[in-house]
Amino acid sequence: MYNYQFILKKNLFTKYILFFICMFYFITADARIPYGSNNAVGKFISLNGVKHYYEVYGQGTPLLLIHGNSTGIKGWAAQIEYFSKKYKVYAFDSRGRGKSDIGNDSLSFTEM
């Protein structure tokens, strides 16, 4: 017979370890670069009358980073640092997030 209680605890322990490893990686991203507010590389583009903020890092094949809800470019700090060594990384703030305007119209899923 299997000791299921031990297996569940072991899986939970493994999940905690992976969580802390990921958090350490995000925390140790280069804090000297103000991702999401980097005046040296940050630019704006107007799309459908709405100003969108974006930043570009690195050289090579283009890689577009699209953040999830409630975040912005700064949420990609560790990934930008890693991928910009091999790719030309385009990171942008979606409409109504970070430095991007929300616009005058209502914000639908399509507009995001």
Side-chain angles (χ1 to χ4, degrees):
M1 293 301 266
Y2 290 109
N3 184 348
Y4 291 107
Q5 207 169 25
F6 173 75
I7 293 170
L8 288 174
K9 287 180 183 177
K10 185 177 178 182
N11 282 340
L12 186 60
F13 178 74
T14 303
K15 290 175 187 176
Y16 281 124
I17 293 297
L18 289 173
F19 172 77
F20 286 113
I21 288 171
C22 291
M23 289 307 298
F24 176 77
Y25 182 74
F26 289 122
I27 291 169
T28 58
D30 192 346
R32 294 171 292 164
I33 299 173
Y35 296 110
S37 188
N38 189 344
N39 294 332
V41 299
K43 297 179 182 173
F44 287 92
I45 186 171
S46 183
L47 299 169
N48 298 325
V50 178
K51 260 175 55 175
H52 292 270
Y53 179 76
Y54 71 97
E55 296 176 0
V56 181
Y57 297 92
Q59 300 285 324
T61 304
L63 175 67
L64 176 64
L65 297 178
I66 302 173
H67 65 78
N69 199 16
S70 300
T71 65
I73 294 172
K74 64 183 175 180
W76 287 114
Q79 290 82 1
I80 292 170
E81 185 177 330
Y82 176 81
F83 287 116
S84 66
K85 294 173 184 168
K86 185 176 179 181
Y87 300 95
K88 186 170 188 175
V89 176
Y90 291 87
F92 71 95
D93 285 328
S94 293
R95 189 172 165 184
R97 303 286 184 247
K99 290 185 167 186
S100 292
D101 290 340
I102 195 164
N104 296 329
D105 299 332
S106 61
L107 190 57
S108 70
F109 182 78
T110 304
E111 291 165 335
M112 280 291 288

